[in-house]
Amino acid sequence: MTVSPRTRDIHHVDIGTARLIVAPGGAAAALPETGIGSTERRLDGDDKVTGRAAYAGEEMPPGTLHGVLVTSPVAKGRIVAIGTDAALAADGVVRVIVPDDMPALAAPSVPPVAQSFVPMSDTSIRYEGQPVAIVLAETLEQAEHGAALVDLRIEAETPTVFETAETVTPRTEGNGYILGALDPARGDAEAAMRDAAATVDAVYVAPTRHHNMMEPSATLAEWRGGALHMHDSTQWTYGVRYALSGLLSMEPGDIHVRCPFTGGGFGAKGYVWPHQILAPLAARLAGRPVKIALSRAQCYTGSGYQPVVRSRVALGADADGRLTAIRHDTENVTSTADDYVEFGNAGTRSLYPAPNLSLTTRIRRADVGTPTAMRAPHEGPGMFALESAMDELSYALDMDPLALRLANYAETDPANGKPFSSNRLRDAYAEGARRFGWDARPRRVRARREGPRLIGSGMASAIMSTFRFPASARVCLTRDGAIRVEAGAQEIGTGTRTIFPQIAAERLGIAADGIEMVLGRTDLPETGGTFGSSSTISVGSAVADAADALRARIEGLADGTLPPREAWPALLRENGTGELVGEGGFSLPGDAPFDAHGGAGEHSMHTWGAVFVEMAVDEALGLARMRRCVACYSAGRILNPVTARSQMIGGIIWGYGRAMLEKSAMDPRSARYLSKNLSGVHLPVNADIPQEIDVSFIEEHDPHASAIGVRGIGELGEVGVAAAIANAVYHATGRRVRDLPITFGDLVG
Ligand code: MOS
């Protein structure tokens, strides 16, 4: 991120606790000083800003070789020959590994492996940027120089891209990317549309985007004895273990993965990409540790992306604005190897009830890499379409956009009729509208002008699926009286190193400061990945359970009551006890390995929000600026207002990027991204961000989703933002933009 003088504004806006959590009536909830609900600083902040936090790319055990991937410049074809003589003759180059050197691997399990095609397992070229050789050298510069000297002979073919590929139904059998029914339907949407008082029908496009995480992916692989040790930049240490154990036919216990800190992931590090497979193979061939760090450019082809999602949305409503029919057809790009499915109508299933519904989910297979989840998958790109269409419908009905949402409020989940585990969306609408001053908005478009600028306001609903994974954790009282929390989960910037100690502290009745948090290793209690906004709900519940177990053990030593914290070390000494350990877990009904929006249980689980945006548009210059954003959420209990609020601000800025800046444009002739660096791909920087991002949460305790009252928030913040912005641009100018991002050409002329 570019540092501008306005950095201070971003970090110091509105951080007071009292305004962050609001009771349904709008009254500020009283917050305790410590433990849950406190605004304690990030407990890992010092380690990060001083550089003590160790990231995968920084570790360099003695003897480590740098591996640089040689990648294909063409998207489709066949490797004819790889000339390695010049590279091998260069200073410091130790070895050049080519496909012929590679051992046969077992079939990948997708996921945790991100794509079923493992590069260098044959001579086929399936996407531009595909690794075809690895140069190993003593220094990074020598490896990079050697890579430039490798002589690739490739027989190229004309590639297919999204625009030229056929639309097909995804494979469902054996496809790990199927999260629900492809074509849910009820009633007769077409007939209802014909009888509706008002209809809209349009196509919306959310383009391909990349994660652009701050820390490029990196991995260090080292064989000791028969065991593999990796320091990997990942969102899921156990996933790396399982992926490699499958591919290499090794016992999972012989693969040790560590990742104490991950410098952002947003989904790019959720599953296992080729460099994480190739590094251990290279290390085994070389007999030395091998580190492969992707360059920024390689991150564009080496760790997934959010695929373009093209949505056709048609809505029909009666004269009172009640939806009578919803149609939402989505298509996303995927690779020829994997039917990755972006469920662009996931949110459409559960947000508004309508008696007639027709949803379809299709893919187009192109000569590109396999896409992957990116904050916020599914609902993120899809809700731009639905919530833009709802805005269009509000004008067709001459109805206030918020009133239209309220006329279509779902009391139970329209997808399955289940009650929600907890849902305060109605309060979020009201509170968000109050904080924004929505009632003062003129109904007409182009109604407000300030000098050369047109001012408009728009809103959108947000909905995100709640994902849960089983998890385990330990909370330990050490011999010297310290508390240590242990879980295999990762820290990807979201605040897990702060909130897990807080959860343990609350259960033990002590302060969180000073609690040691150990995470990010496969020798720690197993958890799922740090993705799907699932860590707090899943791992947090396991930590709470473990802390309860420890508390019970302490009480057991003290005849059933919990002595004051100061007395705990003496208690251990008197009882001749070493470390006391509490083990805890979080499991899903039927011991399911994963559950989306409540699974087969009795309750439907989602998170919600209401996003309000004010845009200023200068049509002479083709410029648009977000002046204000007010977002209010119903997301279960909020454990830490500081980290929660940061998550939502980050999500809103992420959504601003979707709306106004980001698109990974591809040359349709070569199937190559036109730009693979941060000067050619526009991301929001501090100067893009308005003075005020007002985030609030409705006070809530979800009794069903977890043992600690929470659901998840990480991805919710992105949802709805792009639609709210596009809707505000329409309100300001009368220009409806259905193809993101909104750029100069959409605003002038
Ligand atoms: Mo997130 S896309 O589940 O890392």
Side-chain angles (χ1 to χ4, degrees):
M1 225 175 174
T2 304
V3 176
S4 79
R6 287 175 60 185
T7 302
R8 283 183 57 81
D9 298 337
I10 289 163
H11 295 291
H12 293 267
V13 171
D14 192 26
I15 206 92
T17 51
R19 291 188 57 200
L20 298 176
I21 302 191
V22 286
L31 296 167
E33 289 298 309
T34 59
I36 301 295
S38 82
T39 57
E40 281 173 89
R41 63 196 179 84
R42 282 176 180 262
L43 300 179
D44 50 347
D46 291 355
D47 283 343
K48 287 180 174 171
V49 298
T50 57
R52 272 196 306 270
Y55 292 83
E58 297 176 289
E59 201 183 336
M60 202 66 199
T64 300
L65 288 168
H66 290 269
V68 166
L69 300 174
V70 180
T71 61
S72 169
V74 305
K76 187 179 187 186
R78 194 176 65 83
I79 303 169
V80 178
I82 301 179
T84 60
D85 292 351
L88 284 168
D91 273 357
V93 173
V94 172
R95 178 150 187 180
V96 179
I97 297 172
V98 297
D100 279 347
D101 298 323
M102 284 300 186
L105 300 172
S109 166
V110 178
V113 183
Q115 55 180 38
S116 56
F117 169 60
V118 179
M120 298 184 65
S121 57
D122 61 25
T123 57
S124 66
I125 303 285
R126 319 263 188 115
Y127 56 95
E128 188 265 327
Q130 171 188 321
V132 291
I134 310 165
V135 176
L136 300 178
E138 302 291 348
T139 71
L140 178 62
E141 293 76 9
Q142 289 166 338
E144 284 177 340
H145 179 58
L149 298 174
V150 171
D151 183 20
L152 291 181
R153 298 290 158 88
I154 294 171
E155 217 170 70
E157 293 171 53
T158 305
T160 300
V161 295
F162 178 70
E163 288 75 12
T164 54
E166 194 191 344
T167 298
V168 296
T169 303
R171 287 176 290 240
T172 50
E173 203 60 35
N175 183 352
Y177 290 123
I178 299 296
L179 286 175
L182 293 178
D183 297 345
R186 59 177 175 264
D188 184 341
E190 291 310 310
M193 219 74 78
R194 282 194 297 274
D195 297 339
T199 57
V200 295
D201 185 348
V203 171
Y204 305 85
V205 181
T208 288
R209 298 192 303 156
H210 282 80
H211 305 76
N212 290 304
M213 54 285 180
M214 200 181 286
E215 178 205 21
S217 292
T219 196
L220 171 78
E222 199 177 358
W223 292 87
R224 288 184 226 139
L228 173 61
H229 296 259
M230 294 181 69
H231 186 169
D232 187 43
S233 178
T234 179
Q235 291 174 237
W236 188 16
T237 50
Y238 273 88
V240 178
R241 163 181 278 186
Y242 292 133
L244 291 170
S245 134
L247 287 163
L248 303 174
S249 306
M250 286 174 63
E251 287 300 319
D254 289 335
I255 298 171
H256 307 276
V257 184
R258 61 189 183 279
C259 182
F261 293 93
T262 304
F266 312 109
K269 298 168 182 173
Y271 300 140
V272 173
W273 295 97
H275 67 280
Q276 291 153 289
I277 302 165
L278 298 175
L281 295 177
R284 192 149 73 180
L285 289 169
R288 287 169 64 173
V290 166
K291 180 161 77 181
I292 296 180
L294 298 191
S295 65
R296 179 58 70 185
Q298 287 175 338
C299 288
Y300 284 79
T301 51
S303 57
Y305 57 92
Q306 184 167 64
V308 50
V309 176
R310 183 185 183 277
S311 288
R312 177 183 171 194
V313 179
L315 302 173
D318 66 18
D320 297 325
R322 273 189 301 270
L323 289 166
T324 52
I326 300 177
R327 175 176 173 179
H328 189 166
D329 303 314
T330 76
E331 294 173 54
N332 67 269
V333 75
T334 189
S335 62
T336 53
D338 298 285
D339 288 358
Y340 175 86
V341 182
E342 190 82 20
F343 282 87
N345 50 40
T348 309
R349 296 166 195 231
S350 296
L351 189 53
Y352 305 119
N356 302 288
L357 176 88
S358 167
L359 309 179
T360 67
T361 308
R362 297 288 180 269
I363 54 166
R364 297 192 199 179
R365 299 187 190 111
D367 297 304
V368 296
T370 299
T372 201
M374 183 172 124
R375 183 196 202 184
H378 316 300
E379 284 89 339
M383 289 294 290
F384 162 64
L386 178 66
E387 287 299 282
S388 293
M390 283 294 280
D391 198 64
E392 299 202 43
L393 183 63
S394 77
Y395 289 95
L397 289 158
D398 191 24
M399 194 169 171
D400 176 81
L402 176 55
L404 177 62
R405 268 70 172 190
L406 290 168
N408 290 285
Y409 194 80
E411 302 291 349
T412 56
D413 190 337
N416 48 33
K418 288 185 200 173
F420 295 116
S421 60
S422 175
N423 176 359
R424 289 240 136 107
L425 174 59
R426 196 189 293 282
D427 299 315
Y429 283 136
E431 179 63 17
R434 187 185 70 76
R435 296 166 83 98
F436 185 83
W438 180 257
D439 286 351
R441 174 188 190 265
R443 177 73 57 84
R444 283 182 308 112
V445 303
R446 297 184 76 88
R448 217 177 129 196
R449 186 180 283 276
E450 283 179 18
R453 283 175 290 276
L454 289 160
I455 313 298
S457 48
M459 62 85 55
S461 311
I463 182 171
M464 189 70 209
S465 301
T466 293
F467 294 108
R468 302 184 300 172
F469 294 87
S472 52
R474 267 194 296 265
V475 179
C476 314
L477 170 60
T478 70
R479 226 178 253 280
D480 54 7
I483 298 290
R484 191 177 65 246
V485 180
E486 300 182 342
Q490 300 63 220
E491 208 298 315
I492 64 169
T494 50
T496 50
R497 284 183 177 275
T498 302
I499 58 158
F500 295 154
Q502 277 189 271
I503 292 167
E506 184 198 44
R507 296 295 174 129
L508 293 168
I510 63 174
D513 257 308
I515 292 183
E516 188 190 359
M517 180 74 234
V518 187
L519 42 68
R521 294 204 316 251
T522 47
D523 61 352
L524 296 171
E526 180 163 0
T527 72
T530 304
F531 45 56
S533 309
S534 66
S535 284
T536 304
I537 197 169
S538 311
V539 187
S541 297
V543 169
D545 190 40
D548 286 347
L550 176 64
R551 181 181 174 128
R553 296 200 65 187
I554 298 170
E555 289 171 348
L557 292 181
D559 301 327
T561 56
L562 188 72
R565 168 85 200 256
E566 310 77 65
W568 295 358
L571 191 67
L572 293 185
R573 276 196 306 277
E574 285 158 18
N575 285 275
T577 310
E579 187 162 291
L580 267 193
V581 179
E583 308 263 0
F586 175 68
S587 57
L588 296 171
D591 276 328
F594 162 70
D595 148 343
H597 36 80
E602 288 169 18
H603 294 92
S604 166
M605 297 173 192
H606 296 269
T607 51
W608 292 271
V611 186
F612 299 84
V613 161
E614 183 174 289
M615 296 294 291
V617 181
D618 186 325
E619 290 180 310
L621 297 175
L623 282 179
R625 286 281 181 268
M626 184 166 77
R627 299 214 302 192
R628 291 195 296 137
C629 178
V630 172
C632 187
Y633 297 100
S634 161
R637 187 182 180 200
I638 298 305
L639 297 180
N640 183 317
V642 167
T643 54
R645 185 173 173 283
S646 310
Q647 279 298 289
M648 305 325 271
I649 290 176
I652 289 165
I653 296 171
W654 194 256
Y656 177 87
R658 180 196 295 284
M660 301 300 297
L661 298 167
E662 292 178 57
K663 172 178 183 165
S664 297
M666 178 169 270
D667 171 11
R669 292 159 302 180
S670 62
R672 288 170 64 112
Y673 292 108
L674 290 175
S675 186
K676 294 192 282 191
N677 60 61
L678 295 180
S679 60
V681 171
H682 293 174
L683 302 178
V685 297
N686 288 335
D688 293 306
I689 302 311
Q691 295 290 344
E692 185 184 352
I693 293 181
D694 177 308
V695 169
S696 57
F697 298 93
I698 300 298
E699 190 179 20
E700 193 179 347
H701 183 107
D702 189 324
H704 303 292
S706 69
I708 53 176
V710 309
R711 289 195 297 280
I713 60 168
E715 292 162 310
L716 175 65
E718 192 277 339
V719 183
V721 176
I725 289 173
N727 296 344
V729 166
Y730 178 77
H731 184 240
T733 65
R735 297 166 187 267
R736 177 64 64 184
V737 184
R738 301 188 183 92
D739 203 337
L740 294 179
I742 300 169
T743 54
F744 174 84
D746 297 315
L747 303 173
V748 294

